[in-house]
Amino acid sequence: MSRRRRKTYHHGDLRNALLKAAIPVLARKGVAGLSLREVAASAGVSHTAPYRHFRNKAALLEAIAVQGHNSLRDGSLAAQQKWPRDPKRQWIETGLNYLHFILENPEIAQVMFSNVLPRKSADSALHQAMSEAIQGLVQVIENGKTAGLYANRQTEDLVLTSLSTVHGLVALMSQGFIGGAKPSPDQAQAMAIRVAETLWHGMVSPPSG
Amino acid sequence: MSRRRRKTYHHGDLRNALLKAAIPVLARKGVAGLSLREVAASAGVSHTAPYRHFRNKAALLEAIAVQGHNSLRDGSLAAQQKWPRDPKRQWIETGLNYLHFILENPEIAQVMFSNVLPRKSADSALHQAMSEAIQGLVQVIENGKTAGLYANRQTEDLVLTSLSTVHGLVALMSQGFIGGAKPSPDQAQAMAIRVAETLWHGMVSPPSG
DNA sequence: ACCTGAACACCGTTCAAGT
DNA sequence: ACCTGAACACCGTTCAAGT
């Protein structure tokens, strides 16, 4: 045996192990059918061990959901760094990155778009993550304003509309209401781009403005 | 006692009684905390009685969620009848009616925007209701095309973008991510109108087109 | 037809106890 | 510090039995 301990009495990284173990359970049972006891068992610990790392079951699910919102935030940061001179591209890629994350992580999406979040509590990690994601979008919009896009529209209106549209599209897709049960990444991306162009130019303006 | 029976051994309208009894339970415990047993007790029947009317707990929740989608459909039908010559107004009112329903029925919204729906099953009552709601929106858009709005845009793009935006706005509001915990109807309507105008004219076009 | 009570196999959460 | 086993008060669902 080497000097560094393995499989000690203490797990070492149980928190992450539980977050990982929850994914297959979500895929099999859905968010409503997931039990903390099964997640614990599948991580190889007793059913009370998770309480050392999560206040309760909702806290575990919240930690999973936070990853999704962080991805929306990271997507807008990445897009700003990748196309620093193209605010429209930043705007589109922010949405596409979010969509791709959801398509590639359907179990996390399932938790994000479910309603197991704490009643209100503005100090929750979920609200924190959501605020950061919105801030990323605000920055993208402000880059566009600096570049002279968006005419005299208010930043708040542009952010609110963009956010609603991307959230709605992604939620509807992830829940299978549009695009069929399993849209391919290409199909999904094509739909998203058409939606983005419709919003960009407006319902009543010609497509190529 | 009059001739018509009351409080017989048979309940008579237990199905509706259960749907009604679920609302206060949702308000108190949330969708994750709702139990069929509590709903049954609050309707004054044993905990097995609901199974005469609903296959299982998910079926009860689905029946509640269907009402929300029916409201989106009814809103577009009502708007078409009320302003038969004004397709833009039809479009805006469809969204506003949906928003008002959600604000006035937060418990139903909670179920609609939660993920307790059956895995896929295109024959589910939920998908049926959603399809009908989308059809209402399609009709509103086609009225606009007939009237010469929307230039050469495709109906599918217009429907998809409208649907995503209204769904996203309403979901974000109902879950408290935007507009604060309890937006007044006036505040909510003002936000919705600004979003609708932004989408109508586009991100990059002047507000008054 | 519609409703019930007992029963089964689960839950989430708490807590004294172990290493 | 971190993990466990027993215990509590619940669940959803099934089923033979009642009216």
Side-chain angles (χ1 to χ4, degrees), chain B residues 78-91:
Chain B
Q80 290 179 69
Q81 292 184 337
K82 198 161 178 184
W83 294 283
R85 302 257 158 224
D86 190 344
K88 180 183 177 183
R89 185 109 197 214
Q90 291 173 12
W91 180 78

Side-chain angles (χ1 to χ4, degrees), chain B residues 150-173:
Chain B
Y150 306 138
N152 54 344
R153 264 191 209 302
Q154 288 185 254
T155 300
E156 197 190 336
D157 291 359
L158 296 164
V159 169
L160 197 56
T161 308
S162 303
L163 183 64
S164 294
T165 306
V166 70
H167 181 79
L169 179 68
V170 164
L172 288 167
M173 240 183 226

Side-chain angles (χ1 to χ4, degrees), chain B:
Chain B
M1 287 303 166
S2 74
R3 197 163 156 283
R4 71 192 153 87
R5 295 157 301 161
R6 306 170 68 165
K7 284 280 174 189
T8 62
Y9 177 74
H10 300 88
H11 189 287
D13 195 17
L14 182 54
R15 198 191 132 94
N16 274 319
L18 289 168
L19 290 174
K20 234 169 242 166
I23 303 299
V25 177
L26 283 168
R28 235 178 313 118
K29 307 283 187 74
V31 64
L34 173 138
S35 85
L36 213 44
R37 288 168 104 111
E38 184 176 356
V39 174
S42 118
V45 293
S46 81
H47 65 272
T48 61
Y51 289 88
R52 294 290 130 196
H53 300 278
F54 299 101
R55 205 171 70 269
N56 52 27
K57 178 180 166 178
L60 203 192
L61 292 174
E62 191 186 31
I64 292 172
V66 162
Q67 305 176 63
H69 295 290
N70 284 348
S71 162
L72 176 54
R73 175 202 58 194
D74 294 347
S76 74
L77 296 180
Q80 290 179 69
Q81 292 184 337
K82 198 161 178 184
W83 294 283
R85 302 257 158 224
D86 190 344
K88 180 183 177 183
R89 185 109 197 214
Q90 291 173 12
W91 180 78
I92 294 216
E93 293 292 330
T94 294
L96 289 181
N97 284 343
Y98 187 45
L99 177 67
H100 287 148
F101 177 84
I102 294 302
L103 292 175
E104 283 158 22
N105 300 277
E107 297 85 11
I108 295 177
Q110 201 184 153
V111 177
M112 289 179 64
F113 301 132
S114 86
N115 258 353
V116 203
L117 71 166
R119 274 13 222 116
K120 333 175 176 201
S121 63
D123 63 313
S124 76
L126 200 59
H127 268 77
Q128 175 69 24
M130 192 70 181
S131 297
E132 289 180 19
I134 295 179
Q135 265 314 304
L137 198 49
V138 169
Q139 193 60 54
V140 165
I141 295 294
E142 283 177 348
N143 293 345
K145 294 206 106 168
T146 301
L149 299 170
Y150 306 138
N152 54 344
R153 264 191 209 302
Q154 288 185 254
T155 300
E156 197 190 336
D157 291 359
L158 296 164
V159 169
L160 197 56
T161 308
S162 303
L163 183 64
S164 294
T165 306
V166 70
H167 181 79
L169 179 68
V170 164
L172 288 167
M173 240 183 226
S174 136
Q175 296 178 340
F177 283 125
I178 57 178
K182 276 269 174 237
S184 78
D186 282 355
Q187 286 175 310
Q189 169 143 343
M191 288 177 74
I193 288 176
R194 284 159 54 198
V195 166
E197 290 296 330
T198 304
L199 169 54
W200 188 260
H201 296 290
M203 303 277 290
V204 291
S205 307
S208 58

Side-chain angles (χ1 to χ4, degrees), chain A residues 15 55 58-73 98 101 108-135 167, chain B residues 113 171-172 175-178:
Chain A
R15 198 191 132 94
R55 204 172 69 270
L60 204 192
L61 292 174
E62 190 186 33
I64 292 172
V66 162
Q67 304 176 64
H69 296 289
N70 285 348
S71 162
L72 176 53
R73 175 202 58 194
Y98 188 45
F101 176 85
I108 295 177
Q110 202 185 152
V111 177
M112 287 179 66
F113 300 133
S114 85
N115 258 352
V116 202
L117 71 164
R119 281 3 228 117
K120 335 177 175 198
S121 62
D123 63 314
S124 77
L126 199 60
H127 268 77
Q128 174 68 23
M130 192 71 180
S131 296
E132 289 179 19
I134 295 179
Q135 265 313 306
H167 181 79
Chain B
F113 301 132
L172 288 167
Q175 296 178 340
F177 283 125
I178 57 178

Side-chain angles (χ1 to χ4, degrees), chain A residues 116-183:
Chain A
V116 202
L117 71 164
R119 281 3 228 117
K120 335 177 175 198
S121 62
D123 63 314
S124 77
L126 199 60
H127 268 77
Q128 174 68 23
M130 192 71 180
S131 296
E132 289 179 19
I134 295 179
Q135 265 313 306
L137 198 50
V138 169
Q139 192 60 53
V140 166
I141 296 294
E142 283 177 348
N143 293 344
K145 293 206 106 170
T146 302
L149 299 171
Y150 306 138
N152 53 345
R153 264 192 209 301
Q154 288 185 256
T155 300
E156 196 189 337
D157 291 358
L158 296 164
V159 169
L160 196 56
T161 308
S162 303
L163 183 64
S164 294
T165 306
V166 70
H167 181 79
L169 179 68
V170 163
L172 288 167
M173 241 184 225
S174 135
Q175 294 179 340
F177 283 124
I178 58 178
K182 275 270 176 238

